[in-house]
Amino acid sequence: MKKNTPAPLKKGIIKDPVAPQDLLSFAHYCECCSYFNSPKATCSLEHNTELHLKKNQLKSYSMGGKMALCRNLEID
């Protein structure tokens, strides 16, 4: 007889705290990255860009002081 076990929970994206003085001093948006394809709004590394777009990053920051920083951000 097979025992029913719940499926493991998927972890959500980790949001990092960003100090106010750092908000303007470094790039943390897809639009600043060389892997970002602007016309298609996609990442050449096939990452989901939705949470890393500037409008969404600023919204996240204004709501809790945290942002979903991409670990592969390559600044032009």
Side-chain angles (χ1 to χ4, degrees):
M1 186 164 195
K2 198 174 196 182
K3 189 175 184 180
N4 290 337
T5 57
L9 298 175
K10 289 185 177 181
K11 290 184 178 181
I13 193 161
I14 297 171
K15 293 186 178 182
D16 298 300
V18 177
Q21 63 269 23
D22 294 336
L23 190 60
L24 298 175
S25 64
F26 67 95
H28 31 264
Y29 315 117
C30 283
E31 291 89 343
C32 301
C33 183
S34 58
Y35 295 123
F36 186 66
N37 181 343
S38 293
K40 295 180 181 180
T42 58
C43 176
S44 63
L45 298 176
E46 299 183 7
H47 294 308
N48 183 354
T49 60
E50 188 62 29
L51 291 175
H52 301 284
L53 295 173
K54 185 174 183 175
K55 66 177 182 173
N56 296 331
Q57 289 284 56
L58 293 176
K59 180 179 177 183
S60 176
Y61 183 78
S62 69
M63 294 179 72
K66 294 184 177 184
M67 301 171 97
L69 302 176
C70 181
R71 303 308 195 245
N72 297 112
L73 186 69
E74 185 69 32
I75 300 170
D76 292 330

